Amino acid sequence: MLKMNNISRIYQSDTIQTHALRDFSLNVKAGEFVAVTGPSGSGKSTFLNVAGLLDNFDRGQYELDGVSVQGLKDDELSRLRNEKIGFIFQNYNLIPDYSIFDNVDMPLRYRGFSASERKRRVEEALEKVGLTSRFKYLPSQLSGGQQQRVAIARALAGEPKILLADEPTGNLDSLMARQVMEILHDLNKGGATIIMVTHDPDQAREVNRNVQVIDGQLADFKVYAPLDRSAETKGKTISAAVNEEMADA
Amino acid sequence: MRSSSMFSYNLSLAMQSFKRAPTLYFLIMLTLSIGVGVLCANLALVNSMASDPIPEKSNKLIHISMNTWPGDQPPDEPMHILRYRDAMKIAESGIPKRSAVFYASGVYARDSESTSMKRFDSAVRATTPGFFELTNAPFAYGSAFEKSRGMEVVIGDELNQKIFAGVNSVGKTLELDGELLTIVGVLKPWILRPLFYHATEGRAFNLTDDIYAPLETAIDLGWSIHARSSSADNYAGVEETRDKNAYYLQAWVELDNVNQRSAMQSYLDSYSQELKDAGEHPLTTRNELHNVSEWLTAKKVVDQKVLAFTLASVLFLSVCIFNASSLLLSRFHAAKFEVGLRRAIGASNRHMLIQGLTESALLGLFTGLVALVLSWLFLKLSVQFLPRLANIAVLEPKLLVLGMLLALVTSIASALYPLYRANRYTISAELK
């Protein structure tokens, strides 16, 4: 689903060159739920931005759902974002003076769907997150958890191939965070591929795979899945895991 | 279907954007409206001054200036006014399709059958009959008089409104300075801007005349000359001028085609030479023919001050665009997050550009409406200070269209740089 090979992202100021990503390689298969962890400034968000085609990269190869993104024009990148990626942001990023319906409808507008098709998709997406009765509400009339569920509905409405979540529970209390995580797990069980950046080690443990980023690189870490830790994955280093994934690919 | 849906979506986004920052958009609109309004008001003046009043044949209508002055102190240039016999020589030449020889006069007019003694001060054009066809004067009732002598007149719409309440007054009799003349024709409302047939003596923007009387009759009745005249001889009244060296008549001819102009020139030059040979004037032969456009240019009908002010208005509009652009830049900067979000969820730069242009175009439409109202107000204000502009301070339909287009163009122009800036950021930077 997502193949990154030796991706580098360098931010250049007048005097300083910062390597936000350094020879970053990752392979995420369809249906996986991957947690990306790491300390602040390690490059998690840069990875997610590059993965979501929100930022450029300087070197390396990146293939999303079989499409190599190098050299694509703005229109083509926009279409890829619109059709293949669903974003869930930490701050929800809802437009405050749009109704819930209009917020979820937004990405569909750029897909050129008919009004009836858009309505069907918005209703379905809001049903998945349990907000069917709040079409006309404004974001400010909802709790933080509900707003994040709207954001998830917006990400789902276009039926994307992959969901990219940037600390989706970072602004929520534990109860609401739990609800959001359950929705994400349900979606994953339904076949959705999810990459989630998180600071929460407990959340990282809940998912199929945990990837740690340090200094713009995948850290040499142990892959574990506490809820279903198997002997096969236990104790593997990241290098071994990556090499294995590349070989699989 | 898809594009129309996107267009209506973009329109709704534009309206939402206006609602979010009404004060800012009001300021932008006002800034641009003032710039466009001032320019439009100036263009209205220039348009009135510089337009072709009779485009269907302006290149075939020729004004004639001659130098046949017999005195010791001849004018530097050929004179635009002619003496009676020179003017008649032109009318009798047989070269032009038609001619008009006339002078401006004035009388007090009243309905001879009215019990009221109220008289109306009326501008008179004492002219040969060819005037009406030559100038394409539009008749509402009746027709032109057919001869240069006869107690008949044609009256303009305004006088007909004043005296006869606008009804068909053909056949009625007017008392003009004590003489009774019958109305044979009534003109429709007739605006000639500029008044090409009398563009001298600062009259280029006067209204058309109230009364058109046969030339010979006006002379016989001694109706005085209400325009520039020069004479090398003494005379007591205009009725004595036919054989005097009194210069007061203007002559226009209508040619069948522009090629006849050289024939007319030769005819006049030959006539002047004959006069010179006969010792009637000592001057080098110099007769000048001007078509309408050349004549209006020669008479500097377009006020250079208005032209200069129009240029200043263009510069002022540039400053307005710059200011509006600065305001829009701050607005677009404030909306950076939404731009980033839309791009993140699938809007391309092209989408955002079209959305921005739609917003600018809508703003331009509102700006255009306000600008036209301001333009009208500026013109009204101008007339308050400069009453001579009254007849040219007019917003014609083409000026209304131009005003709307100007507003659209300026609104879009002011948004171009902010749009360019808005789309230059990487999406991740916009979302921060």
Side-chain angles (χ1 to χ4, degrees), chain B residues 249-268:
Chain B
L249 291 163
Q250 293 206 44
W252 283 83
V253 294
E254 180 180 346
L255 304 176
D256 278 319
N257 55 65
V258 290
N259 300 329
Q260 281 185 324
R261 190 165 162 163
S262 55
M264 196 70 216
Q265 182 78 53
S266 301
Y267 174 81
L268 292 171

Side-chain angles (χ1 to χ4, degrees), chain A residues 9 11 49 53-56 74-75 78-79 81-82 87 89 93-98 102-103 105-107 109-113 118 154, chain B residues 1-2 5-6 8-10 12-13 16 20 337-338 340-352 355 426-429 431-432:
Chain A
R9 178 66 174 118
Y11 293 108
N49 287 338
L53 311 177
L54 304 181
D55 201 354
N56 306 318
D74 176 72
D75 273 8
S78 303
R79 200 175 309 120
R81 278 194 297 272
N82 186 265
F87 290 101
F89 302 97
N93 286 358
L94 301 176
I95 308 262
D97 54 355
Y98 279 20
D102 288 339
N103 267 289
D105 181 43
M106 226 166 40
R109 289 279 186 172
Y110 298 107
R111 192 85 75 92
F113 289 136
R118 292 201 321 269
R154 181 180 63 197
Chain B
M1 177 68 185
R2 182 179 170 177
S5 159
M6 271 317 280
S8 61
Y9 183 55
N10 284 334
S12 71
L13 292 181
Q16 256 161 340
R20 280 178 193 159
F337 153 73
E338 188 176 327
L341 177 64
R342 287 184 180 281
R343 289 174 69 197
I345 61 174
S348 62
N349 276 337
R350 192 172 53 86
H351 279 126
M352 299 315 296
Q355 183 189 320
T426 57
I427 302 171
S428 56
L431 283 171
K432 273 179 187 166

Side-chain angles (χ1 to χ4, degrees), chain B residues 145-156:
Chain B
F145 43 80
E146 292 175 358
K147 295 178 182 173
S148 287
R149 183 171 275 116
M151 299 301 275
E152 297 172 334
V153 288
V154 169
I155 65 172

